[in-house]
Amino acid sequence: MKDQITEVRKLPHKDQLPYALYRAAQVRELDRLAIEQFSIPSLQLMERAGSFAFDLLRRTWPHRKSITVLCGGGNNGGDGYVVARLAHEAGFTVRLLPMVDEARLQGDALTNAKACEKLDINVISSLDIDTDHGVIVDALLGTGLDRQVEGRWAECIAQVNSMRTPVLAIDIPSGLNADSGAAMGCVVRADATATFIGLKQGLFTGDGPGCCGEIHFDSLDVPAKLYASQILTARRLDWKREKTLLRPLMPTAHKGNQGHLLIVGGDQGTVGATRLAAEAALRSGAGLVSVATREASCASIIAGRPEIMAQPIEDPQALRGLLKRADAIVVGPGLGQQKWGQSLFDSLCETELPVLIDADGLNLLAKQPDRNEKRILTPHPGEAARLLDCSTAEIASDRIAAAEEIQKRYGGVIVLKGAGSVICYGSGRRPAICSEGNPGMATAGMGDLLSGVIGSLLVQGYDMASAAEIGVCLHAAAGDLVARDGMRGMIASDLLPKLRSLLG
């Protein structure tokens, strides 16, 4: 086994993640084609996967010289056996916990299990939570998982999660659905994940971002033309790429050609949401921002940010003049669902301007659903559940499918917020998933901020899809910059100066 792989491989940098995302079945098909059409032995692919994972382990935890490898029964377990063997050969203290009897193993997994059997590797029957395991390698369950994790498998995962030992997941954290990103009952919380051949979409949304840790990818040197056989099912988005789509400011730029955004909201007691959206729009480059709000709210908005043009609107008829001057509308932040908010929302239903609907605007839309292609909807999971008349648990079980269903029913561009925000467009265009952001952003006002950012991009002339993609990634990247000083205690307004610095 040791002599089978002799080539020297240049390992990719951790930031070099592909943008194409696939379903698990597609990645398995890529694996099959690599073996059958390009004559790469399956055992060699497994060796490469195990070698990449072990190299990642050594680079990530250079001072830890002992590992415990948890091996299941499929190819994922086979990768784990390779890691165990390579670690033993490198002088590590290795413990091996096989969850499947060797008699039930097949193919390459069996071959690598037998290779480990010939070595003096300590085989254990259970995890000892009082033992220093150095690093735990999770090679229990792979991408083919399609049912809830139960029994001793669930017990093993619970033990791993109860320990402070760092965890490296092989291909995918055990218990995570590779397609939906939902935890199948329980899931390993890894500190790093080594994944291969194609990125699985479930790594980046739902429970994926919370249990994968830092994701590292290796194509296992399969030929590039192999990927032509599969159409990606989603696209990964990040600020590094999206910022290249920003148009430079012209030397002759003035506030008129930077667009005029109208934000409608700010009922009694909720004007803060409207103010956040308005200031985010200004910090994201809008030339002019008007707020249609309650008369009692105008003074506080102007006092806090005099650049915002706050207009008292008590009667929907008074909106007409503002609509004539606006290039796009954000409706919902602080709108409320009472008579005032309902009347303003109804008055905007016939506008030809691009409209972003958020917060209470979405709750009102759910009560009177219709389809319109000229709007962006930005629901969080609770609002998404109301739009689809289902539970938040159903939304969480498959966020990509939920976003697609909202788009099918309501039209336009959908941004399903949360860990791994999903953007869906319809018209056969593949969904996109933002791979940035952090848990510190789970605080009040973050959604209002995002509404202002996307609305600002709309009035600057970006189409709805581009405004949503750039806006989501800009918002996430700003949150990640703030998180460098700590995630706990982050508030929405902390992101405002970061928006400006990121836009340059």
Side-chain angles (χ1 to χ4, degrees):
M1 290 290 295
K2 186 176 180 180
D3 297 329
Q4 281 190 327
I5 307 300
T6 58
E7 74 265 33
V8 176
R9 303 177 58 235
K10 183 179 180 180
L11 298 175
H13 187 270
K14 66 179 181 180
D15 293 329
Q16 294 176 349
L17 290 179
Y19 289 99
L21 303 179
Y22 301 95
R23 289 185 173 272
Q26 292 180 292
V27 179
R28 288 194 291 272
E29 179 65 7
L30 290 171
D31 186 78
R32 184 189 69 81
L33 293 174
I35 296 166
E36 296 182 4
Q37 291 190 9
F38 293 92
S39 302
I40 303 175
S42 59
L43 197 61
Q44 189 175 56
L45 290 175
M46 187 171 286
E47 184 76 13
R48 291 176 182 177
S51 177
F52 176 80
F54 180 55
D55 181 83
L56 172 60
L57 186 152
R58 288 194 294 186
R59 286 186 284 120
T60 306
W61 300 283
H63 303 298
R64 293 179 180 260
K65 300 301 180 183
S66 65
I67 66 170
T68 298
V69 186
L70 316 178
C71 291
N75 285 343
N76 193 249
D79 296 340
Y81 285 114
V82 174
V83 172
R85 193 196 78 241
L86 293 174
H88 177 82
E89 291 169 351
F92 279 58
T93 299
V94 180
R95 300 178 187 87
L96 184 61
L97 173 54
M99 291 289 285
V100 175
D101 292 338
E102 189 177 290
R104 294 172 53 194
L105 297 179
Q106 298 178 3
D108 299 333
L110 176 60
T111 299
N112 280 297
K114 287 186 174 297
C116 284
E117 190 177 346
K118 296 177 182 178
L119 304 173
D120 187 23
I121 294 178
N122 181 20
V123 177
I124 59 177
S125 58
S126 63
L127 281 176
D128 183 349
I129 61 174
D130 295 323
T131 298
D132 179 9
H133 291 274
V135 177
I136 292 176
V137 178
D138 165 30
L140 290 170
L141 301 166
T143 61
L145 182 66
D146 59 0
R147 60 185 182 278
Q148 296 291 97
V149 179
E150 299 175 337
R152 61 191 294 260
W153 298 88
E155 292 173 5
C156 185
I157 289 174
Q159 280 189 308
V160 170
N161 290 340
S162 71
M163 302 165 69
R164 295 187 176 182
T165 308
V167 178
L168 170 64
I170 303 293
D171 209 21
I172 192 168
S174 293
L176 183 69
N177 187 293
D179 293 340
S180 69
M184 306 298 283
C186 61
V187 60
V188 167
R189 293 194 296 270
D191 298 278
T193 297
T195 194
F196 315 112
I197 297 185
L199 289 178
K200 297 80 183 170
Q201 60 186 31
L203 296 173
F204 297 96
T205 194
D207 295 305
C211 62
C212 289
E214 189 168 23
I215 296 172
H216 301 255
F217 173 78
D218 189 12
S219 69
L220 306 187
D221 287 348
V222 299
K225 58 184 176 181
L226 174 70
Y227 294 94
S229 68
Q230 300 295 311
I231 299 174
L232 57 89
T233 55
R235 295 174 297 119
R236 187 181 67 84
L237 301 177
D238 61 20
W239 180 240
K240 179 181 178 181
R241 186 168 185 175
E242 291 301 306
K243 69 180 180 182
T244 65
L245 304 178
L246 293 173
R247 296 191 289 268
L249 289 175
M250 299 298 293
T252 56
H254 57 81
K255 63 185 179 182
N257 58 33
Q258 289 303 107
H260 187 167
L261 180 66
L262 172 61
I263 299 177
V264 181
D267 202 354
Q268 295 175 2
T270 57
V271 67
T274 314
R275 155 75 191 279
L276 278 170
E279 188 164 352
L282 286 172
R283 293 298 187 187
S284 301
L288 298 160
V289 177
S290 292
V291 171
T293 188
R294 288 282 200 177
E295 183 175 3
S297 301
C298 289
S300 63
I301 292 176
I302 296 171
R305 181 55 63 201
E307 296 88 348
I308 298 170
M309 297 179 290
Q311 303 291 326
I313 300 292
E314 298 296 336
D315 186 332
Q317 298 299 321
L319 274 177
R320 292 181 178 178
L322 291 175
L323 291 174
K324 290 179 181 179
R325 299 195 297 271
D327 297 304
I329 304 165
V330 169
V331 57
L335 183 68
Q337 300 182 57
Q338 304 307 312
K339 183 178 179 180
W340 180 81
Q342 180 75 67
S343 65
L344 294 184
F345 181 81
D346 291 343
S347 71
L348 297 173
C349 289
E350 302 302 322
T351 183
E352 292 299 314
L353 294 173
V355 179
L356 184 148
I357 304 178
D358 187 30
D360 279 324
L362 294 169
N363 295 325
L364 292 172
L365 179 63
K367 296 176 181 178
Q368 49 191 57
D370 70 331
R371 183 177 175 83
N372 188 326
E373 296 298 339
K374 293 190 68 176
R375 63 191 179 195
I376 300 174
L377 308 184
T378 59
H380 59 53
E383 293 158 347
R386 287 188 281 278
L387 289 170
L388 295 180
D389 192 22
C390 66
S391 67
T392 54
E394 289 174 283
I395 300 296
S397 68
D398 195 332
R399 286 169 48 80
I400 297 173
E404 290 177 326
E405 182 60 27
I406 295 172
Q407 200 287 325
K408 180 179 178 181
R409 294 192 193 183
Y410 292 88
V413 175
I414 310 302
V415 177
L416 179 54
K417 296 179 291 194
S421 291
V422 178
I423 306 174
C424 190
Y425 322 85
S427 304
R429 186 173 178 179
R430 303 297 174 186
I433 301 174
C434 177
S435 59
E436 295 174 316
N438 63 82
M441 299 173 71
T443 59
M446 285 292 178
D448 305 312
L449 212 71
L450 177 62
S451 295
V453 171
I454 297 175
S456 176
L457 293 164
L458 282 174
V459 301
Q460 291 174 67
Y462 294 90
D463 62 69
M464 293 197 306
S466 298
E469 291 180 0
I470 296 171
V472 166
C473 291
L474 170 60
H475 179 257
D480 286 344
L481 283 181
V482 174
R484 292 179 180 178
D485 295 324
M487 294 185 194
R488 294 183 188 273
M490 186 189 304
I491 60 176
S493 57
D494 290 339
L495 275 63
L496 289 170
K498 304 301 183 184
L499 296 174
R500 183 183 173 198
S501 64
L502 286 166
L503 287 167

